[in-house]
Amino acid sequence: MVLGFKTQFVEKILNGTKIHSIRVDKNKRWQIGKKINFAIGVRTKRYFQFKEGVCKFNQAVELRPDTREIYLGLNGKMNLLDKSNNEIFAKNDGFDTEEDFWKWFNEPFFGVVIHWTDFIYK
């Protein structure tokens, strides 16, 4: 399955500093074991696949920018990520700072964190 990215994230995926992606997944496409084709220019003439991987895990996520709270699903429960870990979460998603992360996710968001490494938030 194709997972499209903005060009700003390509280098961070390739060098291993972006280790997951946050997406809407209403149809539950991103399941453990699904092949990931990392690409830019999806659905354009400039399509370029720059990496392959596998979905190792997905976690439900709820982002609340007004309170800067991140809730993550594990074992059927949504748990608040300790705010001291927000910066780590933002950097693991490819942002330079937590502030940049909240500028990008400036509206309430419900979706999944797609993991392609063994790292999982507990």
Side-chain angles (χ1 to χ4, degrees):
M1 301 191 60
V2 175
L3 193 55
F5 291 92
K6 303 286 186 190
T7 56
Q8 70 197 54
F9 295 118
V10 173
E11 183 178 334
K12 291 178 180 185
I13 292 168
L14 293 174
N15 70 22
T17 55
K18 178 174 173 58
I19 62 171
H20 56 62
S21 191
I22 300 169
R23 301 297 169 102
V24 172
D25 192 22
K26 292 180 183 173
N27 296 321
K28 301 191 185 301
R29 295 175 42 200
W30 295 105
Q31 299 297 318
I32 295 170
K34 288 276 188 174
K35 181 178 176 182
I36 300 172
N37 297 309
F38 298 83
I40 56 174
V42 177
R43 296 185 191 97
T44 73
K45 292 179 182 179
R46 295 187 179 158
Y47 177 88
F48 175 70
Q49 180 181 319
F50 60 91
K51 181 178 174 156
E52 286 186 354
V54 173
C55 177
K56 295 205 174 185
F57 193 72
N58 65 56
Q59 286 185 280
V61 66
E62 179 181 343
L63 304 175
R64 297 182 186 174
D66 57 333
T67 57
R68 297 200 170 193
E69 292 176 329
I70 300 169
Y71 289 85
L72 293 162
L74 191 62
N75 299 324
K77 292 174 33 181
M78 294 297 283
N79 301 299
L80 176 63
L81 183 68
D82 187 293
K83 284 189 178 184
S84 66
N85 292 316
N86 281 6
E87 183 89 12
I88 293 166
F89 185 86
K91 287 185 177 187
N92 285 346
D93 202 54
F95 294 90
D96 293 327
T97 66
E98 182 183 351
E99 190 64 33
D100 291 341
F101 176 84
W102 290 118
K103 284 179 186 173
W104 186 284
F105 291 102
N106 59 7
E107 297 287 330
F109 179 89
F110 302 88
V112 296
V113 180
I114 302 165
H115 296 269
W116 54 82
T117 71
D118 292 326
F119 182 86
I120 296 171
Y121 299 95
K122 296 182 179 182

